[in-house]
């Protein structure tokens, strides 16, 4: 059963140094009975198992099948790797919270989880942008695709996505540590987010607000604009094709990526808006945050497995061999 929200004992500090709690308290879904929270833990475990198996399957299939060592599939393997780590950072703790009612998460562990959530989200955004660029070159400049997106170029893009995620979001734990927390130490989600922890501080959070807004706009904001611009060019090129069948075939290669973009960006934009324009944290905030973190790792393998012929046939082949 979930414990009532209580004040957490404060770690003793010297004069003039920030006051940090020993731990924060996570919450489930506001307004639900503890018994309902308990039963929600089982679907969470199932979602985690589904996300783990699905993303691992995609990574292993792309690694084993050498004919899949093309830019689109290599970017997909990167996306699955990020989703796999992201689900491992969030879902086990959430399932434990719902099943056991243990709300405590140590202060430094909370900051570490917060950093990985935001950094991995930035990496996913960068990979989605790279996949949009891959589709743009493949459809608009097919003759130059092999020369533009070479193996080393794909590797450099992956490293750049990794470096950007860590560099932009590594300051977050440090600017949160400079704050003092003397209010209630109950965060309003089942995991730790920067804006959620920041609101618990009783000191000036101007630096956190400005930097948080800066990285959201300069990372996810810029990525989403370039993805949108890429699809404007793709759509224009597709409409200029003389054959309707060729146009549908060309655009059909973008469907899986479009689904991944919508699953990632729609909850992200909605969550950012309700956090900055809304009032006190409500059920809407919590539900949108859960959708933003839990949906992509589960949905992406299903969408790509269903829409990508090579991956689908490989999975069916594996199951047919097991059945013999």
């Amino acid at each position: 059963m979930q414990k009532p929200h209580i004040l957490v004992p404060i770690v003793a500090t010297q004069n003039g140094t920030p006051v940090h709690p020993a731990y924060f308290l996570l919450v489930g879904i506001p307004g639900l009975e503890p018994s309902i929270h308990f039963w929600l833990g089982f679907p969470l475990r199932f979602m985690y198992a589904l996300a783990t198996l699905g993303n691992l399957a995609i990574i292993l299939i792309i690694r084993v099948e050498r004919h899949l060592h093309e830019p689109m599939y290599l970017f997909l393997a990167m996306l699955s790797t990020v989703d796999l780590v992201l689900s491992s950072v969030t879902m086990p703790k959430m399932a434990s919270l719902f099943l056991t009612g243990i709300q405590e998460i140590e202060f430094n562990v909370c900051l570490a989880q917060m950093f990985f959530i935001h950094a991995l989200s930035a990496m996913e955004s960068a990979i989605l942008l790279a996949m949009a660029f891959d589709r743009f070159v493949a459809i608009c400049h097919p003759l130059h695709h092999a020369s533009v997106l070479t193996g080393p170029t794909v590797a450099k893009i992956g490293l750049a996505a990794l470096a950007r995620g860590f560099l932009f979001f590594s300051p977050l734990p440090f600017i949160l540590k400079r704050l003092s927390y003397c209010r209630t130490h109950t965060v309003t989600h089942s995991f730790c987010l920067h804006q959620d922890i920041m609101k618990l501080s009783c000191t000036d959070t101007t630096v956190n607000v400005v930097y948080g807004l800066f990285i959201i706009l300069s990372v996810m904001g810029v990525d989403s604009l370039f993805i949108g611009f890429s699809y404007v060019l793709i759509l224009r090129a597709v409409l200029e094709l003389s054959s309707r069948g060729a146009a549908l075939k060309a655009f059909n290669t973008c469907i899986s990526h479009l689904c991944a973009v919508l699953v990632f960006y729609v909850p992200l934009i909605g969550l950012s808006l309700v956090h900055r324009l809304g009032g006190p944290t409500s059920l809407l905030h919590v539900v949108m945050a859960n959708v933003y973190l839990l949906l992509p790792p589960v949905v992406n393998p299903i969408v790509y497995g269903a829409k990508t012929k090579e991956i689908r046939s490989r999975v069916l082949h594996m199951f047919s061999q097991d059945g013999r």
Side-chain angles (χ1 to χ4, degrees), residues 10-13 19 26 38 116 131 142 168 170 217 269 283 314:
I10 302 295
V11 175
T13 58
V19 178
L26 302 173
F38 174 79
F116 280 110
M131 296 172 85
F168 271 81
S170 57
L217 293 177
I269 293 171
L283 179 62
R314 178 63 180 174

Side-chain angles (χ1 to χ4, degrees), residues 56-76:
L56 274 177
I58 287 179
I59 294 168
L60 292 175
I61 288 171
I62 293 173
R63 180 175 181 179
V64 170
E65 299 292 336
R66 296 195 63 85
H67 69 280
L68 296 182
H69 292 183
E70 299 176 4
M72 181 176 71
Y73 299 110
L74 294 175
F75 287 135
L76 176 57

Side-chain angles (χ1 to χ4, degrees), residues 44-91:
L44 275 172
R45 286 194 170 185
F46 174 75
M47 290 174 66
Y48 178 54
L50 193 64
T52 302
L53 292 174
N55 287 295
L56 274 177
I58 287 179
I59 294 168
L60 292 175
I61 288 171
I62 293 173
R63 180 175 181 179
V64 170
E65 299 292 336
R66 296 195 63 85
H67 69 280
L68 296 182
H69 292 183
E70 299 176 4
M72 181 176 71
Y73 299 110
L74 294 175
F75 287 135
L76 176 57
M78 294 178 193
L79 185 70
S80 293
T81 302
V82 171
D83 282 339
L84 183 63
V85 178
L86 183 61
S87 61
S88 298
V89 168
T90 56
M91 289 189 189

Side-chain angles (χ1 to χ4, degrees), residues 135-257:
R135 291 299 84 207
F136 162 72
V137 177
I139 294 173
C140 300
H141 305 283
L143 298 178
H144 300 287
H145 185 261
S147 60
V148 171
L149 285 166
T150 61
T153 301
V154 172
K156 289 176 183 177
I157 291 173
L159 288 174
L162 180 68
R164 189 186 68 159
F166 275 89
L167 288 175
F168 271 81
F169 290 90
S170 57
L172 290 185
F174 299 101
I175 62 176
L176 284 172
K177 275 196 167 187
R178 55 180 284 276
L179 303 176
S180 290
Y181 302 88
C182 47
R183 299 173 182 169
T184 176
H185 303 306
T186 302
V187 298
T188 51
H189 295 99
S190 308
F191 39 81
C192 299
L193 295 175
H194 172 252
Q195 59 267 33
D196 207 11
I197 301 172
M198 177 184 67
K199 291 179 180 178
L200 302 179
S201 173
C202 54
T203 49
D204 182 30
T205 59
T206 302
V207 172
N208 300 72
V209 172
V210 172
Y211 188 72
L213 186 60
F214 165 73
I215 55 178
I216 284 292
L217 293 177
S218 59
V219 177
M220 280 75 162
V222 170
D223 288 352
S224 61
L225 286 177
F226 277 114
I227 290 172
F229 182 63
S230 297
Y231 271 100
V232 169
L233 298 178
I234 289 171
L235 189 59
R236 188 179 69 176
V238 167
L239 293 176
E240 289 176 353
L241 293 175
S242 56
S243 170
R244 184 178 179 184
L248 289 175
K249 184 178 180 180
F251 194 73
N252 190 54
T253 63
C254 302
I255 297 299
S256 298
H257 178 254

